[in-house]
């Protein structure tokens, strides 16, 4: 009798253990997950030259400085998987990082200034987007050997956030890649074109042509650059044919709004920006779906335009 009771007790204990142990493990896992922060670390996809975020978990039990250092170390890890590598070139050294309220200052080596335009934009964007994935970071400042980072016009870039690098400050959960485009704006005098490199979202439903045009209408972010398109201009449609002609259909505001700019500056800010895409050779303008032969005195507006190297060589009414 005693043996049966003992056996029953043992069986009962085993059943309780079988039930409780998985529950305790699950609770422990959840507690452990809550003690960690999920961060998007941005790497470079060399197959299509875009940025891709990869999830990483960091312990919340360490200080902000240590978390920031861990994120930077993760960024510098060369995954070498499916063409995904670090967005920070090996030549660039991270000298130090400092957390100040909701901003992180990243001090990099002088080699940063030797990066080409595309590599610099990728590195800068990856740093800003990765660090602002931390819940206590909203802004990022990049210093080169302790001095403020300068843009192509020699002006300080200052503090950066997600909204200063992309038109939309929030990332859609479905969007995972970004591409660099070159946008042509104008100088203060309206006599020359000013180039600005910018990262834009790449999706199946958002062709790069439209993304470029949206960014041009939104205006420049670099100091010393000025908008060329009326801000209330609407994009009716934009398509590129197999023969390399991009048809840009704009609303009436593009043609009717008064402007102090030479019409050639407005035209070629769009043409030069779009023709940087490999699939585009020429740009054909349409206004409300119709060709307009004359635009602000320019009589060849009804024909396709090709990119130019020097705006100074173009005068009103002449096609280069």
């Amino acid at each position: 009798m005693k043996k049966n009771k003992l056996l029953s007790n043992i069986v009962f204990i085993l059943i309780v253990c079988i039930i409780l142990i998985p529950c305790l493990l699950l609770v422990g896992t959840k507690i452990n997950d809550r003690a960690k922060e999920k961060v998007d670390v941005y790497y470079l996809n060399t197959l299509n030259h875009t940025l891709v975020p990869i999830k990483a978990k960091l312990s919340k039990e360490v200080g902000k400085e240590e978390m920031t250092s861990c994120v930077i170390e993760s960024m510098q890890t060369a995954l070498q998987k499916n063409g995904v590598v670090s967005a920070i070139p090996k030549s660039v050294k991270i000298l130090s990082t400092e957390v100040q309220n909701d901003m992180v200052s990243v001090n990099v080596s002088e080699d940063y200034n030797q990066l080409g335009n595309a590599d610099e934009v990728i590195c800068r964007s990856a740093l800003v987007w990765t660090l602002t994935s931390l819940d206590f970071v909203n802004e990022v400042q990049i210093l080169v050997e302790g001095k403020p980072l300068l843009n192509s016009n020699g002006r300080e870039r200052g503090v950066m956030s997600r909204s200063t690098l992309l038109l939309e400050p929030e990332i859609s959960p479905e969007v995972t890649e970004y591409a660099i485009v070159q946008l042509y704006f104008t100088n203060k005098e309206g006599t020359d074109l000013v180039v600005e490199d910018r990262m834009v979202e790449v999706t199946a439903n958002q062709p790069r042509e439209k993304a470029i045009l949206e960014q041009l209408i939104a205006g420049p972010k670099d100091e010393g650059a000025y908008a060329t398109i009326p801000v209330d201009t609407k994009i009716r449609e934009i398509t590129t044919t197999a023969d390399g002609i991009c048809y840009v259909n704009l609303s009436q505001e593009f043609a009717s709004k008064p402007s102090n700019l030479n019409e050639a500056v407005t035209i070629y800010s769009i043409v030069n920006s779009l023709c940087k895409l490999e699939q585009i050779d020429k740009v054909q303008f349409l206004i409300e779906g119709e060709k307009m032969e004359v635009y602000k005195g320019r009589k060849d507006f009804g024909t396709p335009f090709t990119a130019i190297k020097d705006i100074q060589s173009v005068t009103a009414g002449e096609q280069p």
Side-chain angles (χ1 to χ4, degrees):
M1 189 76 176
K2 289 184 178 180
K3 287 184 179 179
N4 290 338
K5 186 175 182 180
L6 178 62
L7 183 62
S8 298
N9 289 337
I10 292 173
V11 171
F12 176 75
I13 292 171
L14 288 174
I15 293 173
V16 170
C17 289
I18 291 172
I19 295 173
L20 286 182
I21 287 175
C23 293
L24 291 172
L25 289 173
L26 180 60
V27 170
T29 300
K30 289 185 176 180
I31 293 173
N32 188 47
D33 282 344
R34 282 198 293 267
K36 292 184 177 181
E37 179 172 354
K38 294 181 180 179
V39 179
D40 285 328
V41 178
Y42 285 80
Y43 296 89
L44 172 63
N45 184 346
T46 57
L47 300 180
N48 54 12
H49 216 57
T50 58
L51 286 178
V52 292
I54 296 178
K55 293 287 185 184
K57 290 183 179 180
L58 300 176
S59 174
K60 290 184 178 180
E61 296 177 358
V62 300
K64 294 180 179 179
E65 296 282 356
E66 188 174 343
M67 287 182 71
T68 302
S69 297
C70 288
V71 168
I72 294 291
E73 288 177 9
S74 297
M75 291 186 68
Q76 294 175 300
T77 302
L79 298 181
Q80 299 293 349
K81 181 180 179 182
N82 298 326
V84 177
V85 300
S86 172
I88 303 176
K90 291 182 179 179
S91 61
V92 176
K93 304 294 186 296
I94 306 297
L95 303 179
S96 64
T97 59
E98 183 182 358
V99 180
Q100 302 170 320
N101 297 323
D102 65 346
M103 183 187 77
V104 172
S105 293
V106 182
N107 190 23
V108 299
S109 63
E110 179 64 31
D111 304 279
Y112 187 96
N113 285 334
Q114 307 307 316
L115 298 178
N117 285 342
D119 290 338
E120 191 278 328
V121 173
I122 286 174
C123 183
R124 172 160 47 92
S125 299
L127 282 168
V128 172
W129 279 84
T130 299
L131 290 170
T132 52
S133 288
L134 293 165
D135 60 6
F136 57 86
V137 180
N138 291 320
E139 297 177 321
V140 176
Q141 180 185 40
I142 298 178
L143 306 173
V144 181
E145 301 286 352
K147 297 179 181 178
L149 177 65
L150 305 179
N151 62 22
S152 57
N153 298 315
R155 298 176 181 272
E156 292 184 11
R157 287 199 178 276
V159 176
M160 294 169 285
S161 64
R162 293 191 172 197
S163 61
T164 64
L165 293 178
L166 288 174
L167 183 63
E168 296 294 337
E170 299 295 333
I171 300 181
S172 168
E174 294 77 24
V175 177
T176 57
E177 296 185 348
Y178 303 87
I180 293 173
V181 296
Q182 286 190 312
L183 306 176
Y184 284 78
F185 297 103
T186 187
N187 59 2
K188 185 177 181 179
E189 295 75 25
T191 58
D192 204 358
L193 296 177
V194 176
V195 184
E196 180 180 320
D197 295 308
R198 193 176 298 179
M199 194 77 67
V200 297
E201 294 181 1
V202 177
T203 69
N205 298 321
Q206 172 78 328
R208 296 192 187 189
E209 296 96 314
K210 186 176 181 182
I212 286 174
L213 209 50
E214 287 179 342
Q215 297 286 340
L216 287 173
I217 294 172
K221 296 186 181 297
D222 284 355
E223 291 187 30
Y226 294 82
T228 59
I229 305 174
V231 69
D232 49 0
T233 298
K234 298 174 183 61
I235 304 170
R236 298 303 188 202
E237 189 178 8
I238 182 166
T239 57
T240 301
T241 59
D243 57 355
I245 300 179
C246 181
Y247 288 83
V248 177
N249 185 10
L250 302 174
S251 65
Q252 185 61 42
E253 286 83 359
F254 177 80
S256 62
K257 289 289 182 178
S259 172
N260 295 326
L261 286 178
N262 184 304
E263 72 282 350
V265 173
T266 298
I267 290 171
Y268 287 106
S269 72
I270 298 173
V271 174
N272 277 22
S273 298
L274 290 172
C275 285
K276 281 295 182 180
L277 297 179
E278 185 177 352
Q279 70 270 27
I280 298 177
D281 297 318
K282 298 179 180 180
V283 175
Q284 172 68 66
F285 289 94
L286 302 172
I287 303 300
E288 300 293 356
E290 301 291 336
K291 285 186 180 180
M292 178 182 284
E293 298 300 329
V294 180
Y295 168 71
K296 298 185 185 299
R298 191 177 183 98
K299 298 180 181 179
D300 62 347
F301 192 64
T303 61
F305 289 86
T306 57
I308 59 170
K309 293 183 179 179
D310 183 12
I311 192 69
Q312 306 296 335
S313 65
V314 183
T315 58
E318 294 180 358
Q319 173 79 1

